[in-house]
């Protein structure tokens, strides 16, 4: 049976990823939302639990005793599963390449700077229903800092950068709320070898620049290093 997406599914999904964690998320709504996600297989086992499979990822989800899915560990399992299964596999760039990353909260575009007319690899935050959900930031209660809502976005970018010799990053803004700054922080924390290959970060108005103009600017900056 083909899944039918609805506004209610979208609201359930957004509630699932809300911060702080929800305490009144109904089990039946979560199940219906999962069943509606394209490519998702949902099966009941003999204990009444759910077996979820999608894009090579699997999860066994315990059915709550009451009507709400309120257990924080179970909620985190669902979040992580949706992120892992929703982000397509990324292939590392060929070794020795110079890469340009143009990033904002909606997507990252990764270009091979040596190639004129390079077609970028595009990576977007997980959006299961195609509603254009941007990458948002949430307040971390422990230290007051702002953190990206979906870590899988930056991990997918990092995987694509693996073969790079040098990396340039262009972003549309600077400061704590900038996706460019968050990517740099993530690489410094989790991928030191990639952070060491960053030769510069620059704020640009990429919406008014063509791909060739972005690449030309990147080649000038790489040549100056």
């Amino acid at each position: 049976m083909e899944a039918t997406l609805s506004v209610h599914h979208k609201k359930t999904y957004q509630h699932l990823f809300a911060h702080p964690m929800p305490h009144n998320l109904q089990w039946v709504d979560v199940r219906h939302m999962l069943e509606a996600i394209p490519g998702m297989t949902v099966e009941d086992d003999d204990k009444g639990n759910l077996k979820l499979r999608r894009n090579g990822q699997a999860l066994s989800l315990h059915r709550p005793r009451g009507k709400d899915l309120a257990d924080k560990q179970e909620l985190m399992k669902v979040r992580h599963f949706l992120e892992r299964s929703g982000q397509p596999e990324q292939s590392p760039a060929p070794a020795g390449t110079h890469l340009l990353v143009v990033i904002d909260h909606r997507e990252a575009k990764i270009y091979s700077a040596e190639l004129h007319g390079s077609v970028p690899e595009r990576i977007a935050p997980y959006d299961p229903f195609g509603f254009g959900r941007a990458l948002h930031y949430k307040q971390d209660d422990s230290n007051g800092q702002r953190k990206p809502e979906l870590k899988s976005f930056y991990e997918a970018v990092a995987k694509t950068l693996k073969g790079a010799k040098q990396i340039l990053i262009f972003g549309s803004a600077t400061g704590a709320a900038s996706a460019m700054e968050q990517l740099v922080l993530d690489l410094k924390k989790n991928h030191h070898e990639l952070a060491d290959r960053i030769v510069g970060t620059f704020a640009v108005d990429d919406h008014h620049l063509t791909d060739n103009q972005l690449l030309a600017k990147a080649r000038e900056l790489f040549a100056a290093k």
Side-chain angles (χ1 to χ4, degrees):
M1 181 179 178
E2 185 177 353
T4 302
L5 309 181
S6 70
V7 174
H8 187 66
H9 295 142
K10 177 186 177 183
K11 289 181 178 178
T12 300
Y13 171 78
Q14 292 177 329
H15 196 190
L16 176 68
F17 278 92
H19 184 80
M21 282 189 172
H23 297 288
N24 59 343
L25 190 58
Q26 291 195 8
W27 168 256
V28 66
D29 290 339
V30 173
R31 173 166 185 150
H32 290 163
M33 181 269 293
L34 292 169
E35 290 173 335
I37 294 177
M40 183 76 73
T41 299
V42 181
E43 299 176 345
D44 293 286
D45 65 15
D46 55 4
K47 297 181 180 178
N49 300 323
L50 289 188
K51 297 289 186 180
L52 307 177
R53 294 184 182 85
R54 188 183 189 223
N55 292 336
Q57 300 292 327
L59 175 67
S60 179
L61 185 62
H62 297 293
R63 184 184 183 92
R65 294 182 178 179
K67 66 177 183 178
D68 293 337
L69 180 62
D71 185 278
K72 289 186 177 182
Q73 291 185 343
E74 293 292 285
L75 283 168
M76 290 305 299
K77 283 182 182 180
V78 177
R79 286 184 180 183
H80 293 158
F81 171 75
L82 289 174
E83 292 181 23
R84 292 194 313 270
S85 66
Q87 191 64 256
E89 283 294 314
Q90 305 299 325
S91 299
T97 51
H98 290 66
L99 296 183
L100 167 65
V101 181
V102 181
I103 189 170
D104 60 22
H105 295 318
R106 291 193 174 275
E107 70 173 351
K109 296 182 291 185
I110 302 174
Y111 302 81
S112 177
E114 293 97 336
L115 299 177
H116 291 265
S118 173
V119 177
E121 176 97 13
R122 293 178 181 268
I123 301 172
Y126 175 52
D127 177 12
F129 303 124
F131 285 116
R133 179 177 179 271
L135 183 74
H136 298 294
Y137 288 84
K138 64 185 182 184
Q139 195 75 21
D140 180 4
D141 295 333
S142 63
N143 57 19
Q145 300 299 310
R146 297 183 71 78
K147 292 187 175 182
E149 183 177 334
L150 296 179
K151 181 175 173 58
S152 62
F153 175 57
Y154 295 112
E155 284 300 308
V157 174
K159 185 170 183 178
T160 306
L161 298 177
K162 287 293 185 182
K165 181 179 180 181
Q166 291 185 325
I167 301 166
L168 266 176
I169 306 176
F170 291 173
S172 57
T174 58
S178 163
M180 176 176 67
E181 298 296 335
Q182 289 297 324
L183 173 61
V184 172
L185 289 173
D186 185 86
L187 294 177
K188 287 181 177 179
K189 180 179 179 180
N190 300 306
H191 303 278
H192 305 290
E193 75 287 356
L194 292 179
D196 290 340
R197 300 176 206 169
I198 298 173
V199 296
T201 59
F202 299 89
V204 298
D205 187 2
D206 61 294
H207 296 295
H208 292 88
L209 296 173
T210 66
D211 287 351
N212 285 334
Q213 288 172 328
L214 289 168
L215 286 165
K217 183 176 181 66
R219 283 191 285 270
E220 289 178 4
L221 292 169
F222 276 125
K225 299 300 177 181

